[in-house]
Amino acid sequence: MRDYTIFIPEYIAAGSAVGIIGIELFWPKFRKDWLAYITAIAALGWLVSGLFFIGKDPNSFQGLIRSDDFTTYFRLLAASIVIVVALMSATHMRTRTKTVAEYYGLLLVAGCGMVYMAAATELLTAYIALELLSFSLYILVGYLKRDNLSSEASLKYILLGAFSSAMFLYGMSLIYGVTGTTYYEGIAEGLTARGSGTDPAVIVGMMLILAGVGFKVSAAPFHMWAPDAYEGAPLPITAFLSTASKAAGFALILRLFTGALIVDAAEWRWAVAVLAAVTMTLGNLVAIQQSNLKRLVAYSSIGQVGYMLITIAAIGYGDAKVGQDASSALLLHIAGYVLATLALFAALTAAYNRTGREDIPGLRGLAETQPFLALVITIALFSFAGLPPFAGFATKLFMFQGATTDELLWLVGLAVLNSFISLYYYLMIIRQMYLFDPVGDISRWKVSPVLWCLAAVLMVGVLFIGVYPGPAFELTERAAQPLFEAAGLGSFQVQQP
Amino acid sequence: MATEVLWWIFAAAIVGASAGVVFSRSVLHAAIFLIGSMAGVGAMYVFLTVEFLALVQFLIYGGAVTVLILLALMLTRRDAAGRPEPVNGPQLPFALLLGISLVTILVAVALDTAWGDSGEGPANIAIETISERMFTGFGVPFVLSSVLLLVALIGAIILARQEEGE
């Protein structure tokens, strides 16, 4: 029985995308910022339709797409990110391009790609969903055609993205060659049935898949595209890159590694642990030397990916109970990270709209000229660093707690050390804002009401998760539950917080 | 026996043509080598008696895609004659090392793995079976890939579109 109702939320999103492109096609004089608000409303509709799926029985569409709480979690996340990014873009993109309809359309389609990366339980579907997100991002990164930096970023992203896709596909083909199927469940069965002695093809296939998705989430040493793409992209797209594409990458990793490759966890878990260690150290150390804000955020987000990868390694080392705890903590951390990143970028966009500068000294004296933005940026950065009482503290605590197994203590220790390193460069930004006098015009200026409200709401969200993580934790725990039920790893009681 | 000899001849031809794509100093020549490589893979499909795939490979990859590449090269480059260009950069030794080790690993993997074998040789698969698998069993990826193509199309239009002031 094919149940098409599980696609309704994406019908709404993709349909609105086509509609939005159509509006500008037939009505070129349509106001560009209104298109942004229409996009936000469409994404809101998408979000609301996604709410109906909470708590519904898991439903699989021909073994290809699974609709469960995990999918719903990422659907709500994708819709929320699209809403925020669309609102952020309204004034930012208005003056910078002649046509913006495709920009907003692709934003919605990219969100759909993210949802299906989380929902796919079959390799081909997962791959095509991944490409759907990547293709949209290639175009969005290079959307400012007259800006050479934007075009360069897009080209680099396309080339390295194609390279990583090829690796992912090669890995897929090796796994398919051994197990004879592309369904996650079938792969898990096929790998179990082979008993002792893992084939070299499986190991190499897993490594190639890991490298392919490592590229997508920009884990070191596959991170080379990230700083350039972040720097060249329009500011709201940088926000989208550092939230949606990373969250989607981890959604795919979680589904694939818990659903299919968990059987041979011994073969990949050490590689993930090494990847995590290299990623967080390199990201944080290189971030110290950056003078461009976007590049700094790029490296800091690479560091964050390193922390998140710890949980994936923990899933490999621990039993189902550890895996459940680690993945629900990862989902919570992603939520906190997304909130803080979007808050940071909402504030940076507002500052950029005013000053037109994206280097760190451009924020000089912001506490004097626009104290609210300085506060939002400070809270977002403290949340990244993991200081209480902001979201980053609570979510990192849960994450490291969930991921602590005997084998991974060193990694958690390294992560804590790295958090201190990151505090240094976050404080450098805060120092510019609070300890220096503004240059040039020192009069106070006003933030546009949309960006003000956006930044305020996101800031409250960061504080809320930091102070009272209970409800969010329950939500992510429910979202992580289907991962381990689907894998058939026995029935264990889910721990209540 | 005869098929086996032919198979090896074609395999060598594919490798040779692919090497030509990488090493030829003119982009144009590389594109023409690419046709040879793609067509060779098509011939491989004939040996495997999957004729539909062979047809698709010849028509789409050997024909349409490479012709498109050639046309794009001729339209966008000032000298279509195919003047040689430098292909080696300072990263040559690293690339060589990485490439050779990757090839070694993959060959070792291919030889050392007990591949999943369904027990029967490849049979000629009817087109009806393929279409049924594609449109019912794999309907979702099919629809997703059509959205993907739409996105690629929109992207191409955005890149190619001339804006005022350009």
Side-chain angles (χ1 to χ4, degrees), chain A residues 5-156:
Chain A
T5 54
I6 64 170
F7 299 114
I8 287 177
E10 279 71 41
Y11 288 154
I12 295 175
S16 323
V18 174
I20 286 163
I21 293 174
I23 290 178
E24 206 177 52
L25 194 63
F26 292 106
W27 193 356
K29 294 237 170 77
F30 198 82
R31 274 188 60 169
K32 291 184 181 59
D33 47 345
W34 287 4
L35 280 173
Y37 302 135
I38 293 175
T39 310
I41 292 167
L44 192 67
W46 182 22
L47 181 89
V48 170
S49 64
L51 288 175
F52 287 100
F53 287 86
I54 295 179
K56 273 207 177 166
D57 288 335
N59 192 347
S60 180
F61 190 88
Q62 298 181 309
L64 299 167
I65 294 283
R66 230 180 115 79
S67 165
D68 50 24
D69 283 345
F70 184 75
T71 308
T72 306
Y73 177 79
F74 278 97
R75 181 175 279 152
L76 300 182
L77 199 65
S80 320
I81 293 173
V82 171
I83 294 175
V84 174
V85 173
L87 291 178
M88 239 188 257
S89 314
T91 42
H92 188 80
M93 294 304 286
R94 194 177 160 193
T95 48
R96 285 178 175 76
T97 52
K98 294 259 186 272
T99 48
V100 287
E102 290 87 357
Y103 174 92
Y104 294 116
L106 289 174
L107 207 58
L108 283 166
V109 175
C112 296
M114 172 175 165
V115 174
Y116 287 114
M117 277 167 78
T121 53
E122 193 260 350
L123 280 174
L124 275 176
T125 316
Y127 170 70
I128 293 173
L130 177 93
E131 287 295 276
L132 188 58
L133 175 65
S134 304
F135 272 47
S136 314
L137 284 174
Y138 300 152
I139 304 162
L140 289 172
V141 166
Y143 203 85
L144 302 175
K145 278 197 309 178
R146 267 173 292 179
D147 182 354
N148 283 340
L149 214 55
S150 182
S151 304
E152 183 198 334
S154 178
L155 188 65
K156 274 186 184 160

Side-chain angles (χ1 to χ4, degrees), chain B residues 35-89:
Chain B
I35 299 181
S37 169
M38 298 283 193
V41 175
M44 286 297 199
Y45 286 137
V46 176
F47 286 129
L48 292 171
T49 68
V50 274
E51 273 131 24
F52 179 72
L53 264 187
L55 186 75
V56 170
Q57 175 80 16
F58 279 124
L59 274 182
I60 296 177
Y61 288 98
V65 170
T66 36
V67 168
L68 201 65
I69 292 176
L70 279 174
L71 267 180
L73 281 177
M74 287 173 175
L75 284 177
T76 52
R77 302 176 74 81
R78 213 165 289 158
D79 52 329
R83 209 178 297 153
E85 289 166 46
V87 286
N88 294 337

Side-chain angles (χ1 to χ4, degrees), chain A residues 203-454:
Chain A
I203 301 171
V204 174
M206 283 174 180
M207 292 303 135
L208 285 171
I209 288 180
L210 194 62
V213 287
F215 255 111
K216 300 293 177 194
V217 297
S218 69
F222 314 114
H223 64 283
M224 301 83 81
W225 60 270
D228 291 316
Y230 277 48
E231 192 183 2
L235 251 173
I237 293 307
T238 312
F240 192 73
L241 263 179
S242 56
T243 52
S245 86
K246 285 206 200 317
F250 275 101
L252 194 151
I253 292 177
L254 275 176
R255 266 271 197 237
L256 178 63
F257 281 62
T258 60
L261 306 181
I262 189 82
V263 185
D264 275 349
E267 312 296 341
W268 53 259
R269 57 192 184 191
W270 58 271
V272 180
V274 171
L275 206 62
V278 174
T279 304
M280 64 179 131
T281 313
L282 189 135
N284 282 317
L285 289 182
V286 181
I288 294 176
Q289 305 155 1
Q290 302 304 318
S291 60
N292 180 300
L293 266 173
K294 282 166 157 180
R295 288 186 87 86
L296 185 131
V297 174
Y299 280 107
S300 120
S301 77
I302 292 170
Q304 298 283 336
V305 167
Y307 307 145
M308 296 182 202
L309 280 171
I310 298 177
T311 57
I312 308 292
I315 291 170
Y317 277 107
D319 53 4
K321 170 80 178 60
V322 173
Q324 160 78 33
D325 284 354
S327 41
S328 69
L330 173 59
L331 294 186
L332 182 67
H333 184 70
I334 287 176
Y337 167 75
V338 164
L339 273 174
T341 310
L342 290 178
L344 174 69
F345 274 99
L348 287 182
T349 310
Y352 182 73
N353 285 349
R354 166 83 182 182
T355 61
R357 292 178 63 179
E358 44 184 58
D359 51 343
I360 296 169
L363 291 178
R364 184 173 278 245
L366 194 67
E368 200 68 39
T369 52
Q370 185 35 260
F372 173 69
L373 286 188
L375 180 71
V376 174
I377 294 175
T378 308
I379 287 180
L381 293 177
F382 277 153
S383 175
F384 283 157
L387 291 187
F390 309 111
F393 173 72
T395 60
K396 256 190 202 172
L397 186 71
F398 281 126
M399 197 161 74
F400 292 160
Q401 207 175 23
T404 307
T405 58
D406 291 342
E407 295 88 351
L408 288 176
L409 269 179
W410 63 277
L411 198 55
V412 173
L414 189 66
V416 174
L417 184 72
N418 265 298
S419 298
F420 283 113
I421 299 177
S422 70
L423 195 57
Y424 168 75
Y425 57 81
Y426 293 138
L427 281 172
M428 294 299 280
I429 301 177
I430 293 163
R431 178 170 152 255
Q432 289 284 348
M433 293 192 299
Y434 281 93
L435 295 185
F436 290 103
D437 288 330
V439 276
D441 187 13
I442 55 160
S443 56
R444 290 221 173 171
W445 46 277
K446 280 207 170 105
V447 181
S448 75
V450 174
L451 281 174
W452 196 94
C453 292
L454 208 57

